[in-house]
Amino acid sequence: MKAVRVLSVASEIYPLIKTGGLADVTGALPKAFKVEGIEARTVVPGYPDVLNELEGADEVLRFPNFYGGPARVLGSSAAGLDLFILDAPHLFARPGNPYVAPDGADWPDNAIRFAALGRTAAEIGQGAIPAFVPDVVHAHDWQAGLTHAFLHYSERPRPATIMTVHNLAYQGKFAREVLSDIGLSPESFTIDGVEYYGGIGFLKAGLQFADRITAVSPTYAVEIQQPDAGMGLDGLLRARSNVLSGILNGIDISVWNPETDPRIASPFSVNTLPDRAANKTALQRRFDLPLAPDAFLLGVISRLSWQKGLDLLLETLPLVLGDGTQLVLLGNGDRYLEARYSAAAKSYPDRIGVLIGYDENLAHLIQAGADALVVPSRFEPCGLTQLCALRYGAIPIVSRVGGLADTVIDANETIIAADAATGIQFGPVTSENLAGAIRRAKGLFHNKPAWQRIQKNGMTVDVSWHNRARRYADLYRQIAKPN
Ligand code: ADP
């Protein structure tokens, strides 16, 4: 059988450039496809962080004047990933965060930058690089959404298309005045085109024109068809519900493997759980907390944003930290939350440890050392940290939304009796319910045999990409057009 060729379109890809879970997914999927008979390549912008990592590169396309400057597409590989890189220095030769300027505001030309990414993907999709003519073009999130609009408005034959929603909160909405600058005709500015509440919607365009739409969990695929989680796009998603499905994310279990992880203090497995204790001590030491093996230690690894519900955790702290319970938090984002957590650590130095920043190594140690990982998100498309927590024996305490609802089995009495629990869920998402969930977890923590059973159940859940990648592969095979 001929391999299906897939061009993935993404603005982030781990380990080259990452601001969140999107990069983890676009970085892990191509590797998982290798056993599925899928030949995958990813087109990404040529940010400095990407160009610096290339292992040799060939120029495969050249655009003398592309959105205001010369550009070329490089074929290359890096970190085991096959890539096409849009090398357009006037758009992407900017270090740091890919979307935000040093002053904290979005780059003013983001519409142009990501239109250029979409345009490049559409050109490759329609055969501009004869050595790689894809059967399917798979766009991820708003930055890639315009790809499908360019394909739609072109007269030439086009490949099959998929749009994946990793987070509907980021929509790529721009003023209608940029329509001609991004290379679309006035006819595209209609409600069945790229128009979105009077402006231009990049994600909207992708959702409008894709042959298939996926969201990153089955529950999120349902939630986004409702006004609350739909964030303005629920009507369109309801209208397209016959092509919308949810496919859960996985994690890279070679990077997240407690038996071999070089970033933790003491490797362990489901059969050597007592070895996990040394990681808890290392974590307590790292944050200058009392080295108390029996203190209930909560962990958080998160962007600090309204979505993640960590303001609710702050409200519960006086309630839940009473009896020696400890909290370590690693995160950054919202300046107000950063300040409040830093202040909380100052107020309770022997209870709370906070590191404001981004630190992959520490994230691994928290997963290995914390007793429970708290994820009180108001909405959560899939969530990856709870999957890592399951694998590392940190029991996830999560809100019952999106992918959190799909990946954690709540330790209620019936489920405990059936020995199937993997964590604690709560809902609706309020600080009272979060406090109740933490109390419930603490009760279980003091019942060591029950706690260990939940840990072991979690550690044996399949959180790998293996089966999830197969779902994408099946979808590709279904929609690939014979050529
Ligand atoms: P989102 O994509 O909404 O930020 P996910 O849970 O899907 O949330 O993915 C977040 C990813 O980023 C996980 O791999 C998590 O470990 C990582 N992460 C988030 N914040 C930090 C941080 N401050 N330091 C290290 N890793 C982090």
Side-chain angles (χ1 to χ4, degrees):
M1 196 168 54
K2 182 176 153 287
V4 175
R5 279 192 173 161
V6 178
L7 180 72
S8 187
V9 192
S11 63
E12 301 182 25
I13 189 162
Y14 179 85
L16 305 176
I17 177 92
K18 166 170 167 174
T19 71
L22 167 66
D24 291 319
V25 177
T26 56
L29 259 181
K31 292 179 187 159
F33 284 149
K34 291 204 167 129
V35 293
E36 295 292 338
I38 302 292
E39 200 183 323
R41 279 212 170 219
T42 308
V43 53
V44 290
Y47 311 113
D49 285 350
V50 173
L51 292 172
N52 291 340
E53 291 301 315
L54 300 186
E55 297 148 13
D58 299 320
E59 182 180 299
V60 290
L61 262 185
R62 179 189 284 264
F63 306 113
N65 187 3
F66 196 56
Y67 292 97
R72 56 195 189 140
V73 176
L74 305 174
S76 182
S77 59
L81 298 159
D82 294 321
L83 304 170
F84 290 124
I85 293 112
L86 173 57
D87 181 23
H90 62 296
L91 302 175
F92 298 116
R94 307 172 193 180
N97 183 294
Y99 317 119
V100 179
D103 66 1
D106 287 352
W107 287 111
D109 57 348
N110 272 350
I112 308 289
R113 299 171 78 218
F114 294 104
L117 176 67
R119 186 63 192 243
T120 304
E123 292 296 331
I124 300 172
Q126 293 182 302
I129 300 173
F132 189 90
V133 181
D135 304 295
V136 177
V137 173
H138 185 170
H140 295 271
D141 270 358
W142 75 262
Q143 297 88 345
L146 227 51
T147 307
H148 297 338
F150 289 123
L151 287 170
H152 174 83
Y153 290 111
S154 155
E155 309 272 286
R156 288 171 282 154
R158 68 165 180 85
T161 53
I162 301 184
M163 183 78 226
T164 291
V165 180
H166 295 262
N167 193 337
L168 206 66
Y170 303 100
Q171 303 190 343
K173 183 171 179 236
F174 300 97
R176 64 180 295 176
E177 285 69 32
V178 299
L179 191 69
S180 70
D181 294 342
I182 63 180
L184 284 170
S185 69
E187 292 73 53
S188 68
F189 195 75
T190 67
I191 196 65
D192 297 327
V194 301
E195 182 187 354
Y196 184 53
Y197 294 102
I200 300 164
F202 276 36
L203 178 61
K204 188 263 178 165
L207 297 172
Q208 179 80 38
F209 296 123
D211 296 328
R212 296 295 171 90
I213 300 168
T214 67
V216 290
S217 69
T219 295
Y220 194 55
V222 173
E223 288 171 347
I224 57 178
Q225 297 180 51
Q226 308 302 322
D228 272 2
M231 299 184 172
L233 287 162
D234 48 297
L236 171 56
L237 290 163
R238 278 196 302 281
R240 303 218 63 208
S241 61
N242 59 329
V243 296
L244 166 61
S245 60
I247 301 179
L248 272 177
N249 288 335
I251 55 171
D252 186 333
I253 58 168
S254 63
V255 174
W256 292 97
N257 182 353
E259 288 183 63
T260 57
D261 192 336
R263 293 155 151 163
I264 65 179
S266 162
F268 62 97
S269 74
V270 71
N271 299 317
T272 59
L273 257 186
D275 294 346
R276 192 174 186 276
N279 294 304
K280 180 167 177 176
T281 310
L283 185 57
Q284 289 168 325
R285 185 169 288 122
R286 172 81 191 257
F287 280 98
D288 274 331
L289 296 171
L291 306 182
D294 294 328
F296 187 45
L297 174 55
L298 300 168
V300 173
I301 306 160
S302 186
R303 284 187 294 120
L304 300 180
S305 72
W306 182 84
Q307 173 193 342
K308 301 292 179 179
L310 291 163
D311 50 319
L312 305 175
L313 180 62
L314 272 170
E315 286 170 33
T316 67
L317 290 181
L319 283 176
V320 300
L321 292 183
D323 51 0
T325 297
Q326 301 174 340
L327 167 71
V328 298
L329 175 136
L330 165 65
N332 59 5
D334 182 302
R335 295 286 130 84
Y336 174 70
L337 283 172
E338 288 182 355
R340 283 194 63 195
Y341 271 103
S342 300
K346 282 213 178 75
S347 304
Y348 303 91
D350 58 347
R351 291 278 180 277
I352 304 180
V354 167
L355 196 139
I356 300 299
Y358 189 92
D359 185 335
E360 294 270 349
N361 291 339
L362 183 57
H364 284 242
L365 184 63
I366 293 175
Q367 296 285 15
D371 294 306
L373 189 88
V374 187
V375 193
S377 303
R378 290 188 166 90
F379 68 93
E380 193 58 76
C382 178
L384 297 174
T385 53
Q386 85 280 10
L387 302 180
C388 304
L390 287 169
R391 191 155 161 75
Y392 277 59
I395 288 185
I397 301 175
V398 304
S399 49
R400 192 177 294 112
V401 297
L404 300 172
D406 291 334
T407 55
V408 173
I409 303 175
D410 180 55
N412 61 43
E413 276 176 29
T414 321
I415 298 291
I416 290 180
D419 198 14
T422 61
I424 309 275
Q425 286 188 343
F426 68 92
V429 190
T430 62
S431 57
E432 291 77 21
N433 290 337
L434 170 60
I438 295 174
R439 264 198 304 273
R440 196 147 62 87
K442 221 184 283 189
L444 286 165
F445 176 70
H446 293 300
N447 175 351
K448 284 284 171 277
W451 188 257
Q452 281 177 7
R453 276 203 303 280
I454 302 174
Q455 277 183 308
K456 287 184 177 170
N457 288 341
M459 291 178 78
T460 47
V461 169
D462 179 9
V463 290
S464 75
W465 270 109
H466 188 65
N467 288 315
R468 286 107 190 237
R470 176 164 306 148
R471 298 274 320 272
Y472 281 108
D474 289 344
L475 194 57
Y476 295 152
R477 281 190 275 266
Q478 261 175 38
I479 63 172
K481 297 176 179 162
N483 53 17

